Amino acid sequence: MAIQQTFSIIKPDATSRNLTGAINKVIEERGLRIVAQRRILMTRAQAERFYSIHSDRPFFGVLVDFMTSAPVVVQILEGENAVDVYRTVMGATNPEEAAEGTIRKLFAESIGKNSVHGSDSEENAALEIGQFFSESEIVG
Ligand code: CMP
């Protein structure tokens, strides 16, 4: 399996509870390398574009409100099979269904305030990385 990159967001519920370091520790312990990272306050335009696939969902407005409510940490994670590995490390979207030891089981508050986002495919990872990072910011 080749080395892959995936895109990650540490969400407002986690940054506001001072959990960035604790989540990064889990990420690194599971063998993923944080090759780029920046703390930002997302604009509504950024959040609406990022989650445009969910624009018809009833929770879209709540999701955009939440993602712009406090700083997030955007990241690029690298490793073997990184997209699937990070989805396993995050756990199920709903923390009530997340497996023991996953980031969402450990830290998430609800299906909305679920602490982290990770890309669902290699194709989407490239698109999502491109929304927040330029080539010059990715130094390995
Ligand atoms: P994420 O992986 O960032 O991708 C879409 C997000 O929508 C998802 O995580 C959840 O945080 C959020 N989401 C999904 N279902 C709901 C819901 N019913 N209410 C609020 N947010 C939701």
Side-chain angles (χ1 to χ4, degrees), residues 9-15 17 19 23 66 86 103-104 106-110 112-117:
I9 303 176
I10 301 178
K11 296 187 180 185
D13 67 282
T15 63
R17 286 179 289 147
L19 291 171
I23 290 173
F66 169 60
Y86 190 45
I103 291 171
R104 286 167 171 160
L106 288 166
F107 303 117
E109 297 182 307
S110 66
K113 295 179 178 178
N114 65 353
S115 299
V116 282
H117 164 86

Side-chain angles (χ1 to χ4, degrees), residues 9 11 50-51 53-54 57-60 62-63 66-67 87 90 93-94 104 110-119:
I9 303 176
K11 296 187 180 185
F50 184 76
Y51 282 119
I53 193 169
H54 297 302
R57 302 283 196 94
F59 58 81
F60 182 67
V62 171
L63 178 59
F66 169 60
M67 293 300 290
R87 290 186 74 77
M90 287 192 300
T93 303
N94 184 347
R104 286 167 171 160
S110 66
I111 193 167
K113 295 179 178 178
N114 65 353
S115 299
V116 282
H117 164 86
S119 307

